[in-house]
Amino acid sequence: MLVIVTASSSCDIGQSFMALVNYAKKEIQFKIVYYGCGLCGKTTNLQLIHERAPSKSKGNLTSLATSQDRTLFFDFLPLQTTAIEGFVTKFQMYTVPGQVKYNSTRRLVLRNCDGVVFCVDSQFEKMAENTESLENLRENLKLQKDELDEMPYVIQYNKRDLLNVAPQEYIDYLLNNGSSKIPTFMASAKLGDGVLETLNGVAKLVLQDFIQKYNS
Amino acid sequence: MAFILQPEEYNIIKGDLDVFLNNSEARTVMLCDRGGNVIADSGEEVTGAVDLVTALVAGAYAATKELAMVLGEDEFNAIFHQGDQTSIFMSSIGEEVLLLAVFSDETNAGLVKMYATSTCRKIHSLVDEVMTRSEVSISDPTQSFVITKGNVFQFEDGS
């Protein structure tokens, strides 16, 4: 028997709670979540970042996956920079499980996140899954009193190395059609293209958002 | 919104964690938010893995909360995992913070739980205060944040 546990809409996820600033340790922590439909390349992004980031600025990559290497809970990669003067700036990178049935888990991983990378599988036949996943992201953020359009957020058009990919304009039309355009990055995480650019894109937005809110 | 911890608050929390360690004879104690961010820790260092431990604890706690709700509870506010040599005890502090104690078979779960419960009670009011205050922005002009120039991250090949 298949039992799908879905948290009820009355589930108290609590108010969204973001960056953690520790003045005693001169440390700031941010949380970034890679979101997207199943097999769109979220884990591959983190694997590549882990492979290529300098050892002094990264921790271990931990994947809570099934025996078939599908993400069951999340992947986790801690990164460290000196992006804010005088503070050690830590970015905790997470992925969510993309499979539809794991929505409760996605909501748990989204908790307290400071920025989102929405990872798109660029193949034509995946467009319905991409739009469904984006809608799911909006709904899950709303449950924690966040609005996607008001938080640091970038879109990565992944798998651009494949032959059956949709044109950028078409994906823009489907997924990036709001009044303000969301930063997008062309990528092939498998080949390493666009991964660093996406990471820097979202990290900059997260930092700017933080500075804007707290330097007033 | 941000969770902003001033040095004096951090020192109070750290002091409470030190007392807990001393009384309970646990090896390590960590405080994290429910998103997995480390707030403070004390005791033996979990080499290079504090971030990972708190990320997993936050995940495990959140998953267990869902389980509790299925069974008609709001949440299980204390969780205990027993190993052969190392065990852990997790407890919630209000809505946003978790306490994690790692201990060996040199002490016992009852002692750890007793002191953890009283430590959580002590820290609770301070944590609540920090959370309430964090909704306003920092007014001290000496505490402004400046982003360094250039890319936030670089890969090893210099790209």
Side-chain angles (χ1 to χ4, degrees), chain A:
Chain A
M1 187 172 66
L2 173 67
V3 178
I4 300 176
V5 178
T6 53
S8 67
S9 58
S10 62
C11 163
D12 176 23
I13 287 189
Q15 195 172 12
S16 171
F17 205 72
M18 300 187 181
L20 194 149
V21 185
N22 187 330
Y23 279 104
K25 293 173 90 174
K26 288 280 174 194
E27 199 177 273
I28 303 178
Q29 296 175 60
F30 298 103
K31 177 176 181 177
I32 293 175
V33 176
Y34 281 68
Y35 208 97
C37 65
L39 298 174
C40 70
K42 303 175 289 293
T43 300
T44 311
N45 265 274
L46 285 206
Q47 284 170 337
L48 193 110
I49 294 167
H50 180 250
E51 191 183 302
R52 299 204 182 163
S55 44
K56 62 175 187 209
S57 64
K58 68 183 175 192
N60 291 329
L61 172 63
T62 304
S63 292
L64 304 183
T66 67
S67 53
Q68 287 85 40
D69 274 346
R70 299 294 301 273
T71 304
L72 177 64
F73 205 152
F74 56 75
D75 305 300
F76 172 70
L77 174 65
L79 297 172
Q80 190 170 306
T81 74
T82 49
I84 294 180
E85 281 180 14
F87 286 82
V88 172
T89 313
K90 291 183 168 181
F91 286 86
Q92 319 284 32
M93 316 298 292
Y94 288 80
T95 67
V96 297
Q99 294 177 80
V100 174
K101 63 185 174 184
Y102 294 135
N103 194 40
S104 293
T105 312
R106 280 193 290 279
R107 286 163 56 181
L108 301 178
V109 176
L110 269 181
R111 187 176 174 131
N112 298 6
C113 88
D114 298 289
V116 173
V117 175
F118 185 74
C119 191
V120 174
D121 186 330
S122 296
Q123 297 176 94
F124 262 116
E125 64 267 28
K126 291 285 187 177
M127 288 306 137
E129 285 180 51
N130 287 324
T131 42
E132 190 185 344
S133 179
L134 185 60
E135 195 47 42
N136 174 255
L137 170 61
R138 284 186 198 284
E139 284 168 10
N140 284 338
L141 284 171
K142 267 189 186 144
L143 286 172
Q144 60 177 39
K145 301 183 177 77
D146 278 324
E147 286 290 339
L148 181 61
D149 297 328
E150 290 168 13
M151 71 185 301
Y153 151 56
V154 302
I155 306 179
Q156 181 189 69
Y157 296 172
N158 194 21
K159 304 198 181 185
R160 299 308 295 178
D161 56 307
L162 299 182
L163 294 174
N164 56 338
V165 295
Q168 182 184 353
E169 295 74 16
Y170 180 61
I171 309 179
D172 278 342
Y173 170 72
L174 290 176
L175 304 172
N176 193 7
N177 51 16
S179 52
S180 57
K181 291 292 166 222
I182 305 301
T184 55
F185 297 90
M186 296 292 132
S188 167
K190 195 174 153 193
L191 303 177
D193 299 335
V195 172
L196 179 65
E197 290 78 1
T198 308
L199 174 64
N200 276 321
V202 71
K204 273 279 183 208
L205 285 183
V206 166
L207 291 170
Q208 281 161 1
D209 182 66
F210 174 75
I211 296 270
Q212 203 175 7
K213 281 178 183 159
Y214 294 99
N215 274 359
S216 55

Side-chain angles (χ1 to χ4, degrees), chain B residues 60-118:
Chain B
Y61 203 90
T64 312
K65 179 170 178 165
E66 294 291 320
L67 176 61
M69 288 176 68
V70 172
L71 299 175
E73 282 286 328
D74 276 350
E75 68 176 7
F76 299 127
N77 53 19
I79 300 167
F80 172 55
H81 292 307
Q82 184 173 12
D84 279 343
Q85 284 154 9
T86 304
S87 301
I88 58 175
F89 177 80
M90 300 177 233
S91 182
S92 64
I93 304 175
E95 288 296 311
E96 282 298 337
V97 177
L98 300 172
L99 178 141
L100 167 72
V102 181
F103 59 98
S104 69
D105 52 6
E106 287 169 16
T107 182
N108 67 73
L111 195 68
V112 171
K113 185 179 176 186
M114 186 182 82
Y115 283 113
T117 306
S118 66

Side-chain angles (χ1 to χ4, degrees), chain B residues 19-146:
Chain B
V19 170
F20 163 75
L21 272 189
N22 197 37
N23 289 337
S24 68
E25 297 175 33
R27 276 170 35 198
T28 307
V29 59
M30 298 174 201
L31 217 59
C32 66
D33 73 7
R34 293 206 188 190
N37 291 314
V38 187
I39 296 169
D41 63 293
S42 185
E44 287 176 30
E45 196 181 341
V46 184
T47 313
V50 176
D51 292 332
L52 174 58
V53 170
T54 53
L56 292 172
V57 162
Y61 203 90
T64 312
K65 179 170 178 165
E66 294 291 320
L67 176 61
M69 288 176 68
V70 172
L71 299 175
E73 282 286 328
D74 276 350
E75 68 176 7
F76 299 127
N77 53 19
I79 300 167
F80 172 55
H81 292 307
Q82 184 173 12
D84 279 343
Q85 284 154 9
T86 304
S87 301
I88 58 175
F89 177 80
M90 300 177 233
S91 182
S92 64
I93 304 175
E95 288 296 311
E96 282 298 337
V97 177
L98 300 172
L99 178 141
L100 167 72
V102 181
F103 59 98
S104 69
D105 52 6
E106 287 169 16
T107 182
N108 67 73
L111 195 68
V112 171
K113 185 179 176 186
M114 186 182 82
Y115 283 113
T117 306
S118 66
T119 305
C120 290
R121 246 193 326 261
K122 267 166 86 180
I123 294 175
H124 193 165
S125 56
L126 177 56
V127 165
D128 274 354
E129 192 186 312
V130 171
M131 283 170 60
T132 313
R133 193 208 47 230
S134 67
E135 289 178 13
V136 299
S137 59
I138 301 161
S139 54
D140 184 347
T142 64
Q143 293 183 333
S144 63
F145 299 100
V146 180

